[in-house]
Each structure stands twice: as structure tokens, then as C-alpha cells.
Amino acid sequence: MSNAIESVLHENRSFPPPEEFSANALISSEEQYLQMWTRAKDEPAAFWGDLAQSELDWFHPFDEAMQGEMPETKWFTGGKINASYQCLDRHLKTWRKNKAAIIWEGEDGAQRTFTYQELHREVCKFANVLKKLGVEAGDRITLYMPMVPELAIAMLACARIGATHSIIFGGFSADAISDRNNDAQSKLVITADGGWRRGKEVPLKANVDASMEKSPSVEKVVVVRRTGADVSMAPDRDYWWHELMEGVDADCPAAQLDSEHPLFILYTSGSTGKPKGVLHTTAGYMLGVTMTTRWVFDLKDEDTYWCTADIGWITGHSYIVYGPLSNGATTLMYEGAPNWPDEGRFWNIVEKYAVNIFYTAPTAIRAFIKWGDEWPAKYDLSSLRLLGTVGEPINPEAWMWYHRTIGGERCPIVDTWWQTETGGIMISPLPGVTATKPGSCTRPLPGVVPAIVTEEGEELEANQGGLLVMTQPWPHMLRTLYGDHDRFLETYFSKIPGCYFAGDGARRDKDGYYWVMGRVDDVLNVSGHRLSTMEVESALVSHDAIAEAAVVGFPHELKGEGICCFVIPKGDIPPDEMKEEVKQHVRQQIGAIATPDQIRFTNALPKTRSGKIMRRLLRDIAAGKESAGDTTTLEDYTVLAKLREQDEG
Ligand code: WTA
């Protein structure tokens, strides 16, 4: 890569916050934002220390707000705290005791609501169940569950006793479960018989069963009954949730944990090797998600707040469970697909619960656009006052559609840039302050000090594309990659010394607005979900008939990025029917989200003389473009021509 990345997007539209919105917003003026941002930059320990004192509930006060240099910064050392207490107990002493904490709707239309008091009771009971099963503070627990209230209950119950949860998205396969179980050395798995997705049952328990042979650390499995499916229950290993909960004591004081006690591990894809176990700790993470939820969503007590993410991803951790509950909000949780039983389901939910704040992903917005305006038009969306997006860059046309068709040109849109590693939102509009520009995540939140630099670490001027880095630590930053601190240092802190780098390219315009251009490493962003090309390649070569494979992303209308696989078979080029088999093989190995869009069989891949696959060229071919880049290091020129002749499919 040359020093600057070419940026092609030019967008001049700007949308100032509606006056009425600003008048009532928690952060309502440019001066207020600048004052906060500047103080956080110049005196981070004082800025975050004050907030930690006023916004978090401590069993024992901390000695020092911030200790040590990035990447080894520790936050709020000496303090004793509990995330479950922060989300539940402290609200019970207020009028919020009987406020709805979670409103849940199943895909089948079932509804359940938990007040803070009720949620607290369930969490305490399940925490006692975990203790009875032998779980202790510091143990790792795997959660592989559908989007049911028991998932949030299990998370908070782990947090309550100091067990570290590791949630695996329900779309992953048995191998993905055992890999993660082994990496984390999980002691217990919590799952369900199944989950509902587009009217079909997802066989969660069967997947767990298939993973158990290769998960020696797991001693017990707890199973929530959701679909009523016939599942096998291994004696002395598998237990039904509802049976364990019978007659259990509802008194379970929250464990008093160190600020840096590990709260959760969440596996995410990197550009090389196996998935990375991103580790977040307690106090810093809780402060980060508490403040960013309030600042970015301008959260008020009266709001019904809905984040459509799955809790299996970081967005669900931070902005369905920990951030909203810490703020005493009402958080809505929906189990199923947006197009079941029809394409109006989300808008039906917005109308039914009078949702005020709606947070979704660009891939979903592109699907809504495709399904047609008649679906949102059928419902009353006038309760909405704020919209958000996350997961990938949003194209300006999708932004404009969201603004007009869902927001009625009245709701500010917060385009929030952040990552599993950052724990919470980093760059985003403040809805009462920031004039938005379609496609830009705008400006850094207080405490976030980004820069755009070259590969050599030199800062770039306005409008020059480069690498997005963070120059200062923040409380909700990941602390390590579980069990591999060297990989943590190497991945995030070696590329640009002294800075955090997590793989995105971006530019900053003359107004100081950030425009994220996407990943600069071998990470795919498929429907807002991170997958590494390397994981898909490993899945491909595990097929008997495949010798070698190279995987690249290509622009995809709905998913943002599609998966294109260049595959070298062991023998002759197989017939086209084989493509489907290869797709299914990858799906089985990793999960449905990793299903390839294109398989292209080939006898050779473009390689440099030193044998490195030239992915840049493959990306051009997958996108149907002529290669513009330099091909002088290519070993065999004829390979490119041959690859172009191959059909996609
Ligand atoms: C991308 C999701 C542009 C980015 C919270 C990042 C975005 C990766 C945005 C992290 C956004 C997320 N605009 N790109 N608003 N939000 N991304 O870890 O490439 O699943 O590095 O966290 O998603 O994905 P992750």
C-alpha cells in the first residue's frame, strides 16, 4: 500500500439536529461537547475518575482512576464493584424497581416482560444455580443461546458471582463451539433445546452435543426449554434450566470484585490464526457502556429502546444488556428474523411497543429498502425519535432512505463506529449536537483521541485516507486476548508504535469528521459480522477434494461484502454441482454466516515470487474489475487471464 488510501466518496449534505431535539438533549451544545472532549483528552484520569465516582456503584472506592501507559493501562484500581449490581440492585432502591427492564418478544409472537425487581430475582436465583453446579469466580462459562430473556439472565448471573461469560453466536457450528470452549477452558455450557429463526428450529442443543466430544473442559450443560424439541439429555451432565430453578434461594449477594476482574470474553475474527478471545474487564467496561449509551442515544427514562443486534455479538453485549440496564432503561429484545412472518415485522414491533430509539445495521437497512416502502408504510412509526446504525460503513443512499422512510425526516441518525475490541462506541454523532453527514460517523466521543496515519505512523492531512488509530487509552478498551497477551500486543499495538490499531482505513474531512472506509486487513465484513479470510480458507481445505484456497471479499448489494472463494481442487476441475457441496461444507464447518457466495475452481492462484497469494488481484477479479494495481511481482501472468475465464457461482 502506498502512503495514502484513495478515498472516492464525496458527500456534501449535512443535517443539523432538529431544534426541539437539541433543546431536550442531555448534551445539547457544541460548547458542552468541546469542553468534555478537551478535558477528557487533557486530563483523562480526572475526567473518567469523576464519572466513575458519580455513575458507578462501588462496594469499595478505587485508589487511582488510571494507571500505566497504553496498552497496559489499568482503570480504577483498588475499587470493588459488580456489573450485575450496577445493572440491577441499585435500581431497586429507586422508583425504577417496577419499571420494565426487558421487554421480550419471541419470533412466534410470545411476549414476556421483566421489571427490574423481577429480573433481579431471576438473576439471583440462577446465580445460586451456578454456584450449586460448582461454578466459582474466575471460571469461564460458555453461553450458546437463542435471543431469549434467559440469555440476559445468564450473563448477569455469571457477572454476579464473578464467572466470565463467553457468548457464542447461535449461528456458529459445533466446531466453532468446541474451539472456543477449549481456548477459554470453559467449565459449563448454557444453551437451549433450540431457537426460532424464520419459523424454523435452530438445533442448538444438538450442536452443543456434537461439540462435547472435543470439549474436554466442559463438565456440565444447562438447557433452557424454548422450542420443546426432542433433545437428548446426558445423565449427570445435562440439566434443564427450569428444573434447576425450582425451589432455589432468591438471595444471592453480588460478589465484590476487583475493577479489573474479567467480565467476559468474546471471540472475534482476526486476519490470521484462530479467533481471538477479546477480554473485557468490569469497571472500565461498565463505565464506558454506561456513558456511551447515555451520550449517544440521549437515553431518557421514558424511552423504549430497541437494539436489533444479536447478543452473540458485541453490540448486543454493550447495547442490549450492560449499557441500557446500567442506565435503568427499558430495553427491548426480539428473538427472531426481521422478515417473519412477513417483511413488516420490525415495524410492527416499533408500533406495538411505541419504540423511541431504534439501533440497527446497514445490512438490515439495505434489506428493508429491497423489500419495499410498503412495509414500513403500513405501521405507525411516529414514536421514533432517534435512529442508529453500526457494523459497517453505511452508504449515503441507504442513510437517506433510513432518514426519510423510517425517521420521517425528523429523527437524528447516529452512525456509530466501534469494535468488539473497543467495548463501546468510539466515534459517533451526539444527536443533540452534531450536524450529521450521510456516510460519516462524524466525531470522536469524549475520551476518544483518534488519528489518521500512514503505514509509517505519520499523521495525514484532512481528506487523506490512511489508517485509523487511537492515540490514548480509554476505560472500555480490551485488556488482552485471552491466553495470548503477545498476540494482543502484536495485533493492536505493533503496527503503529504507541497507538491502538484495529484494522480500519479512514479519512478525516476539513470539519474533523471521520469517514471509515472499511478494513485494511484480511478481515471480511459480511452483513456487519466479522469473519477472517483465513478461517474460511481453513474450512475449505479441510474438504477432501480441495488442495488450496484463497478467499476474498467483493461488494455485495445486501451483505456489504460477499465471500468469494478461489479453490484449487486436488484433481481436475470438478463439475459445477460440486460448488454447492463446497459451500455446504464451509457452512457446516463455521456456520451459516460464512456460507460462500461464489466458488471459483482454478488450477493456480496469482502468487508473488516468494509464494504469497496476491489477494489484491483476486479482489479485483471477484469484483469484476480490471486490475489497476501493480502486477510486476506476479510470478505467472497467465494465471490472471485463466482466473477471469472462470465462471462465478
Ligand atoms: C466496522 C461491531 C463503518 C469496522 C460494533 C470495524 C463500521 C468493524 C462501523 C468492527 C461504522 C463498525 N462505520 N464501519 N459505523 N461500525 N464498523 O468487532 O470495520 O463486529 O472495524 O464490532 O466493523 O466489527 P465488530
Side-chain angles (χ1 to χ4, degrees):
M1 191 179 76
S2 64
N3 270 353
I5 302 170
E6 191 191 353
S7 164
V8 289
L9 195 67
H10 294 286
E11 173 62 55
N12 298 316
R13 287 171 288 203
S14 170
F15 296 84
E19 254 171 54
E20 205 198 311
F21 196 102
S22 296
N24 297 307
L26 295 166
I27 301 179
S28 58
S29 71
E30 181 70 14
E31 296 70 53
Q32 201 184 346
Y33 161 66
L34 285 177
Q35 191 246 326
M36 288 168 79
W37 191 81
T38 310
R39 177 156 187 253
K41 173 172 167 282
D42 296 341
E43 308 165 51
F47 176 83
W48 290 113
D50 286 354
L51 287 174
Q53 253 162 28
S54 63
E55 307 300 333
L56 300 180
D57 245 71
W58 296 93
F59 299 117
H60 187 278
F62 53 90
D63 303 321
E64 216 179 333
M66 187 183 167
Q67 203 180 62
E69 301 283 307
M70 185 157 76
E72 308 291 354
T73 316
K74 304 276 173 281
W75 293 83
F76 315 116
T77 44
K80 297 278 184 196
I81 191 162
N82 186 289
S84 146
Y85 189 94
Q86 172 73 19
C87 288
L88 301 169
D89 303 52
R90 67 199 192 98
H91 303 310
L92 304 186
K93 295 175 259 174
T94 73
W95 65 270
R96 292 195 186 99
K97 178 177 147 197
N98 292 321
K99 178 178 175 176
I102 296 178
I103 297 177
W104 175 83
E105 181 163 303
E107 196 186 70
D108 56 2
Q111 294 179 22
R112 292 161 77 190
T113 298
F114 293 80
T115 65
Y116 275 92
Q117 168 70 26
E118 289 168 332
L119 187 61
H120 175 262
R121 195 177 163 80
E122 293 300 302
V123 168
C124 288
K125 283 170 65 182
F126 193 66
N128 280 331
V129 166
L130 290 176
K131 282 191 200 166
K132 271 197 189 161
L133 293 174
V135 178
E136 290 170 10
D139 288 344
R140 275 82 52 213
I141 307 294
T142 297
L143 276 53
Y144 179 69
M145 298 173 74
M147 281 282 288
V148 291
E150 284 79 2
L151 172 50
I153 292 167
M155 292 165 82
L156 293 164
C158 287
R160 196 162 190 87
I161 62 172
T164 302
H165 58 71
S166 161
I167 306 185
I168 303 175
F169 173 59
F172 281 118
S173 65
D175 282 349
I177 305 171
S178 51
D179 283 351
R180 287 158 177 74
N181 283 342
N182 289 325
D183 192 77
Q185 288 294 297
S186 275
K187 197 166 172 183
L188 183 105
V189 174
I190 306 172
T191 187
D193 47 3
W196 293 114
R197 190 78 191 171
R198 264 178 220 104
K200 283 209 198 89
E201 243 175 84
V202 185
L204 298 172
K205 177 63 164 65
N207 290 346
V208 168
D209 289 345
S211 77
M212 287 308 285
E213 216 172 286
K214 288 192 252 167
S215 304
S217 64
V218 176
E219 294 163 12
K220 295 186 167 92
V221 179
V222 177
V223 188
V224 173
R225 185 175 275 161
R226 169 64 187 125
T227 60
D230 210 3
V231 294
S232 70
M233 297 290 281
D236 299 325
R237 189 196 74 188
D238 299 352
Y239 302 85
W240 286 108
W241 173 294
H242 60 270
E243 289 177 3
L244 293 169
M245 288 286 264
E246 268 170 35
V248 121
D249 195 352
D251 180 33
C252 179
Q256 306 195 0
L257 303 168
D258 289 339
S259 291
E260 289 289 349
H261 187 83
L263 178 60
F264 65 84
I265 300 168
L266 182 56
Y267 285 88
T268 188
S269 297
S271 49
T272 55
K274 58 183 170 49
K276 306 179 291 194
V278 169
L279 181 90
H280 283 286
T281 58
T282 306
Y285 173 80
M286 285 309 297
L287 185 63
V289 297
T290 304
M291 297 325 300
T292 53
T293 304
R294 205 179 311 159
W295 292 336
V296 173
F297 300 110
D298 187 51
L299 200 62
K300 306 276 169 46
D301 259 316
E302 307 79 55
D303 284 321
T304 304
Y305 162 92
W306 183 21
C307 165
T308 71
D310 192 288
I311 292 177
W313 307 104
I314 190 68
T315 305
H317 283 61
S318 299
Y319 297 109
I320 296 178
V321 180
Y322 289 114
L325 295 179
S326 172
N327 279 291
T330 297
T331 178
L332 199 138
M333 195 173 157
Y334 168 59
E335 178 187 36
N339 53 350
W340 187 266
D342 63 36
E343 281 73 10
R345 185 61 183 271
F346 272 18
W347 318 123
N348 173 270
I349 293 174
V350 168
E351 178 183 290
K352 192 194 287 181
Y353 301 99
V355 171
N356 307 103
I357 302 170
F358 179 75
Y359 188 32
T360 195
T363 185
I365 296 169
R366 289 191 295 267
F368 303 147
I369 296 173
K370 192 168 167 223
W371 294 337
D373 291 7
E374 61 269 31
W375 292 105
K378 281 188 199 174
Y379 297 93
D380 178 5
L381 306 182
S382 62
S383 58
L384 292 171
R385 66 179 194 89
L386 178 65
L387 304 176
T389 76
V390 60
E392 57 181 305
I394 181 166
N395 36 315
E397 287 326 304
W399 194 102
M400 288 305 299
W401 181 90
Y402 198 30
H403 169 71
R404 276 195 298 265
T405 312
I406 305 305
E409 300 185 347
R410 139 193 109 249
C411 305
I413 297 179
V414 289
D415 174 353
T416 63
W417 180 88
W418 60 294
Q419 307 176 303
T420 305
E421 293 87 343
T422 69
I425 299 170
M426 300 291 278
I427 307 181
S428 165
L430 293 170
V433 176
T434 319
T436 50
K437 302 184 193 184
S440 169
C441 53
T442 79
R443 297 182 301 182
L445 295 182
V448 175
V449 189
I452 308 281
V453 300
T454 64
E455 293 262 324
E456 288 73 42
E458 291 150 36
E459 269 208 75
L460 286 161
E461 314 255 307
N463 280 325
Q464 287 190 298
L467 308 176
L468 177 61
V469 297
M470 300 297 148
T471 62
Q472 285 191 10
W474 62 100
H476 35 304
M477 184 178 105
L478 82 162
R479 296 299 191 265
T480 192
L481 293 177
Y482 189 78
D484 200 345
H485 201 64
D486 286 345
R487 189 175 177 203
F488 161 78
L489 297 175
E490 162 72 26
T491 309
Y492 305 108
F493 297 96
S494 70
K495 189 160 178 92
I496 309 294
C499 291
Y500 166 84
F501 167 67
D504 280 5
R507 76 182 162 96
R508 183 175 49 219
D509 70 17
K510 60 181 186 350
D511 299 325
Y513 279 44
Y514 286 79
W515 299 77
V516 172
M517 285 141 47
R519 304 288 308 190
V520 294
D521 54 14
D522 289 327
V523 172
L524 303 167
N525 191 330
V526 179
S527 304
H529 299 149
R530 274 166 66 177
L531 289 170
S532 86
T533 53
M534 192 256 126
E535 283 166 86
V536 182
E537 285 162 7
S538 312
L540 286 163
V541 297
S542 72
H543 189 288
D544 285 344
I546 295 175
E548 198 181 347
V551 170
V552 294
F554 67 96
H556 187 285
E557 199 195 339
L558 284 180
K559 300 179 180 181
E561 228 174 357
I563 303 176
C564 176
C565 310
F566 294 88
V567 177
I568 304 183
K570 282 188 180 151
D572 293 338
I573 297 285
D576 270 0
E577 295 81 79
M578 179 76 177
K579 289 182 176 173
E580 196 47 41
E581 185 187 318
V582 171
K583 286 183 187 176
Q584 289 311 317
H585 177 75
V586 174
R587 189 188 166 103
Q588 221 172 23
Q589 295 283 310
I590 308 178
I593 42 163
T595 312
D597 296 280
Q598 295 181 13
I599 302 288
R600 299 183 183 218
F601 290 116
T602 172
N603 287 319
L605 290 166
K607 287 188 182 168
T608 63
R609 272 158 222 147
S610 63
K612 273 182 87 172
I613 295 173
M614 294 180 78
R615 289 168 193 286
R616 183 164 50 78
L617 303 179
L618 293 177
R619 272 194 279 270
D620 288 340
I621 294 170
K625 282 196 294 198
E626 283 298 315
S627 288
D630 185 13
T631 53
T632 49
T633 53
L634 185 62
E635 195 198 26
D636 175 5
Y637 287 94
T638 59
V639 169
L640 280 189
K642 283 185 210 144
L643 279 171
R644 284 186 204 288
E645 285 160 19
Q646 283 292 322
D647 296 337
E648 52 189 79

